[in-house]
Amino acid sequence: MQPPRTFDRELIAERLRRRKPEAEDFVTKLALDDLEDRLTVVTRTFKQAAILSPDASRMPERGNTRDGSFPFERYSTTGPYGLDPERLTLPKTGYDLIVSIFDLQVVNDVVGFLARVRQHLAPDGLFVAAAIGGDSLQELRHAFLTAEAALSGGAFARVAPFIPLADAGGLLQRAGLALPVTDIETHTVRYANPIALMQEIRALGASNPLAERPGRMMTPRLLAAAAQAYAEAFSDPDGRIRATLEIIWMSGWAPDESQQKPLKPGSAQVSLKDVLGRA
């Protein structure tokens, strides 16, 4: 059974293709700085590592753990020369580290993508992913809903849905990854005005990538109304506007006999009543 087609991946690829090389990518920089911090505490040397992203040219060529530096194989997941994340096939298997930066929030079959990543990992190989999720861009969503309700009496989805943190661990487990860990980094990003925010989102190829987009085109009148609604509700005293950005981090391991496993029911040597005390 095929998953529903939520995202228009051809549209995403086209928008990334149009992006100017010098376009600022503040969000990706945030994620890569955080990835660097997370890897430097790992006590392991990775001999074969891959990093996936919609635009591999913005990904690092090397990573560092506490035990040393290692090279990344970089792969794009959009465009005519990129890998198809819906049918992910890497050039080889046996990776002891695979990193995904901002693939999960625009993949239609998330569990399928994670399962195919697991198939490319060596036993006890590590998977790490960052995805925009949670309440990201809630202010922009509110602004468009407010503007469209005022202009037309109805509202359309113009901001893509994101993965909730509560679902992230379950997605890893369903894909067969062991020892799942999830957490969230919340950032408040400020822009000169709502239009500046919208321009950066478009430069990232992330402006309304929904397959079922509203038939009604974005008009200058709607854009101006949304910008006004945004500024009225989410401006700081200095006139700049704020936007919520939440990056969900997920990690899991390819199953291996060496990994810690939960005790079988009934095998505990100490009663929980003995630990907590009798009522």
Side-chain angles (χ1 to χ4, degrees), residues 124-142:
D124 204 31
L126 174 63
F127 172 66
V128 178
I132 297 174
D135 292 327
S136 293
L137 302 181
Q138 58 180 305
E139 300 88 354
L140 186 62
R141 184 178 287 109
H142 169 85

Side-chain angles (χ1 to χ4, degrees), residues 8-272:
D8 186 338
R9 297 196 54 81
E10 292 77 16
L11 177 65
I12 295 170
E14 176 62 18
R15 287 176 175 168
L16 287 175
R17 186 186 66 79
R18 294 178 183 174
R19 179 170 60 175
K20 297 178 180 178
E22 67 274 12
E24 186 176 2
D25 195 341
F26 174 73
V27 176
T28 298
K29 185 178 184 305
L30 270 179
L32 293 180
D33 287 346
D34 201 0
L35 173 66
E36 184 177 4
D37 291 341
R38 290 167 183 268
L39 290 178
T40 52
V41 301
V42 175
T43 54
R44 179 177 294 201
T45 299
F46 295 118
K47 297 180 180 178
Q48 188 166 291
I51 187 164
L52 317 177
S53 176
D55 183 357
S57 69
R58 305 219 170 194
M59 295 298 103
E61 295 182 351
R62 301 192 67 83
N64 295 280
T65 68
R66 186 178 296 180
D67 291 344
S69 177
F70 61 91
F72 271 124
E73 297 175 18
R74 303 186 299 170
Y75 298 105
S76 291
T77 52
T78 59
Y81 305 109
L83 303 176
D84 182 357
E86 309 290 352
R87 301 175 180 81
L88 183 68
T89 301
L90 296 174
K92 52 194 172 187
T93 59
Y95 290 95
D96 43 20
L97 172 66
I98 297 178
V99 176
S100 167
I101 301 294
F102 297 156
D103 292 307
L104 292 179
Q105 74 262 6
V106 289
V107 170
N108 292 302
D109 184 4
V110 174
V111 174
F113 173 80
L114 295 173
R116 284 182 280 274
V117 166
R118 178 180 59 80
Q119 292 170 357
H120 287 83
L121 286 169
D124 204 31
L126 174 63
F127 172 66
V128 178
I132 297 174
D135 292 327
S136 293
L137 302 181
Q138 58 180 305
E139 300 88 354
L140 186 62
R141 184 178 287 109
H142 169 85
F144 273 115
L145 291 176
T146 300
E148 290 203 293
L151 294 179
S152 63
F156 301 91
R158 293 189 182 272
V159 179
F162 297 118
I163 297 172
L165 177 63
D167 295 347
L171 293 171
L172 293 168
Q173 290 178 316
R174 286 172 58 191
L177 289 161
L179 308 174
V181 175
T182 63
D183 65 271
I184 194 164
E185 294 284 345
T186 301
H187 305 273
T188 299
V189 187
R190 302 206 315 145
Y191 293 85
N193 52 63
I195 300 300
L197 166 63
M198 296 178 199
Q199 287 174 340
E200 181 163 333
I201 293 172
R202 176 168 285 276
L204 293 173
S207 55
N208 197 3
L210 296 172
E212 298 296 328
R213 296 183 296 281
R216 185 173 301 166
M217 296 291 291
M218 176 76 70
T219 64
R221 186 178 176 215
L222 174 58
L223 189 62
Q228 180 179 350
Y230 199 121
E232 289 175 353
F234 304 108
S235 286
D236 288 334
D238 62 359
R240 296 175 69 83
I241 58 100
R242 58 189 179 276
T244 298
L245 174 68
E246 294 191 340
I247 299 177
I248 292 178
W249 285 93
M250 310 162 60
S251 65
W253 299 81
D256 185 69
E257 287 299 318
S258 65
Q259 292 168 354
Q260 183 179 357
K261 295 178 177 60
L263 294 173
K264 295 181 179 179
S267 64
Q269 300 298 310
V270 179
S271 167
L272 185 61

